[in-house]
Amino acid sequence: MEKDLTTEGRILTAARSIFQQKGLAGARMQEIADEAGINKALLHYYFRSKDKLFERILEEAIGKFLPELFGVWEGEGNILEKIERFVHRYISFVAENPYVPSLILHELTINPEKAGMIRKMGFKPPKDKMMMEVMLGVQAGLIRPVHPMDLILNIISMCVFPVLARNMIQGVMLIDDLTYQEMIETRKKSVADFVIQSLRP
Amino acid sequence: MEKDLTTEGRILTAARSIFQQKGLAGARMQEIADEAGINKALLHYYFRSKDKLFERILEEAIGKFLPELFGVWEGEGNILEKIERFVHRYISFVAENPYVPSLILHELTINPEKAGMIRKMGFKPPKDKMMMEVMLGVQAGLIRPVHPMDLILNIISMCVFPVLARNMIQGVMLIDDLTYQEMIETRKKSVADFVIQSLRP
DNA sequence: GTCTATACCTCGATAGAC
DNA sequence: GTCTATCGAGGTATAGAC
């Protein structure tokens, strides 16, 4: 527990928690103030408005989410090794921060213009690098020919969706919490296997 | 355009549209009334409250979403044929109704208890049937051994996520609308291929 | 069934004392 | 920097005429 942060820090922690749970429209400034153990007026003293505070949280979430998503591609190893590492690391990250992609997803769905924020943050996705890596793997005979973007989308989908849609899936499939958690854990390996099996030449 | 529906029908159409775009908390009764071309008070005459109206829309969405999701498993053919049919039909459905899974996902994430609604609607997922089908395929030597639930989650993830997270992905990957739409179209085939390749014994 | 008018409330935001 | 008190906008919901 971080009791003795600065006031600004406590506000940000509280705002993160509430916005992640309820989204922008569903969150209440009073709730954030309560969670931070301070007064509503102080929120406006530190951050001018609810929108400004939210934008700060969303930026922070994106700033955490994207590097994690693409960092692996910068490392060592061939395409198969990178896929294995990516899947493991990414499922771990999403499982530990389940609300991060959820928040980004919902707010960008409601308000697509906010996607512009990504570019403003100076973030450049290593799309070309990823494409290239896949094509090199094909040429080296490591993997069968696939469309790089399809492959990337498939991998990300299988990593993120089961965590993102956890409540929905559990509700539909009638799976209890513990079982589901174990399944996510198992998937760190099984998803990588699933992809690698598919890529056999 | 359905101009001359009953008033109740016009309200439901409008509510669907607004709730899908903004979620429960973000939607405004005034907005729904405007879109339906009627007065705010009439909303409360037909449906007692905002919550009741929303519940109706959510139930309707789930009632549309789930049968589509599981209907294929009741049909003819072996596991590979069913997978191919499922992927094609499901991506088509989600692409035509992109907001349906989005609405369900967001509201069940915020309010997991609402998942109970699924059972109240008398819906039973054919989980056992799906499991059995996969295991039969393994025994027949059609596919390599896999954990059925993993396989099902993988398939659903690859079908739903790219549509669900469209704005996020386009924003991150800098892909324009037309290209993305074509990609979704292509995926009706490529995702099925990807799965079937992975399942080679 | 459909409208206008309005009651009642909650929320975001600000003023001003300390 | 932090609090209490309060304003004003805008929200859901209802009363009551037609």
Side-chain angles (χ1 to χ4, degrees), chain B:
Chain B
M1 285 299 158
E2 55 279 284
K3 282 245 166 162
D4 36 355
L5 275 172
T6 62
T7 301
E8 181 169 341
R10 290 219 310 287
I11 292 177
L12 285 172
T13 303
R16 212 173 291 133
S17 162
I18 302 296
F19 281 135
Q20 283 170 351
Q21 287 174 57
K22 317 234 167 147
L24 171 57
R28 297 287 161 250
M29 293 296 264
Q30 184 62 60
E31 219 179 345
I32 296 174
D34 290 347
E35 178 117 346
I38 52 136
N39 190 281
K40 240 184 353 174
L42 261 193
L43 295 181
H44 290 89
Y45 175 79
Y46 277 91
F47 306 86
R48 269 182 54 79
S49 67
K50 188 188 183 185
D51 278 340
K52 289 264 199 305
L53 177 56
F54 179 75
E55 196 161 324
R56 171 71 174 268
I57 298 296
L58 185 60
E59 256 182 51
E60 184 194 87
I62 291 176
K64 204 175 169 186
F65 181 72
L66 291 187
E68 194 69 32
L69 187 51
F70 294 120
V72 170
W73 300 91
E74 309 294 342
E76 295 290 311
N78 67 30
I79 179 80
L80 292 175
E81 291 163 339
K82 282 185 181 175
I83 288 173
E84 196 165 353
R85 222 176 330 137
F86 175 84
V87 169
H88 196 281
R89 270 182 49 181
Y90 206 54
I91 292 181
S92 298
F93 170 73
V94 179
E96 281 161 25
N97 305 274
Y99 285 115
V100 171
S102 182
L103 180 72
I104 299 173
L105 181 71
H106 182 243
E107 297 304 334
L108 288 194
T109 298
I110 286 185
N111 212 332
E113 314 89 67
K114 280 192 180 148
M117 183 192 293
I118 294 166
R119 231 158 315 169
K120 268 196 304 200
M121 289 170 63
F123 183 83
K124 278 274 290 175
K127 201 169 75 169
D128 299 340
K129 201 174 166 65
M130 290 154 72
M131 297 289 202
M132 185 64 73
E133 194 89 43
V134 173
M135 287 188 281
L136 283 177
V138 172
Q139 276 166 21
L142 273 172
I143 62 177
R144 69 179 172 87
V146 285
H147 286 106
M149 188 53 82
D150 264 333
L151 174 60
I152 292 165
L153 274 188
N154 287 345
I155 296 174
I156 295 178
S157 298
M158 287 186 282
C159 291
V160 179
F161 186 75
V163 177
L164 191 73
R166 174 167 183 164
N167 288 336
M168 185 166 86
I169 296 169
Q170 280 192 240
V172 171
M173 298 286 198
L174 306 175
I175 302 171
D176 66 274
D177 286 350
L178 184 61
T179 306
Y180 203 85
Q181 198 181 326
E182 287 169 358
M183 217 169 57
I184 296 288
E185 195 57 38
T186 314
R187 286 179 65 80
K188 290 178 190 174
K189 190 174 177 324
S190 84
V191 169
D193 285 349
F194 188 83
V195 175
I196 288 169
Q197 286 296 321
S198 183
L199 292 178
R200 281 174 292 165

Side-chain angles (χ1 to χ4, degrees), chain A residues 35 41 112 119 137:
Chain A
E35 178 118 345
R119 231 159 315 170

Side-chain angles (χ1 to χ4, degrees), chain A residues 7 39 41 46:
Chain A
T7 301
N39 190 280
Y46 276 91

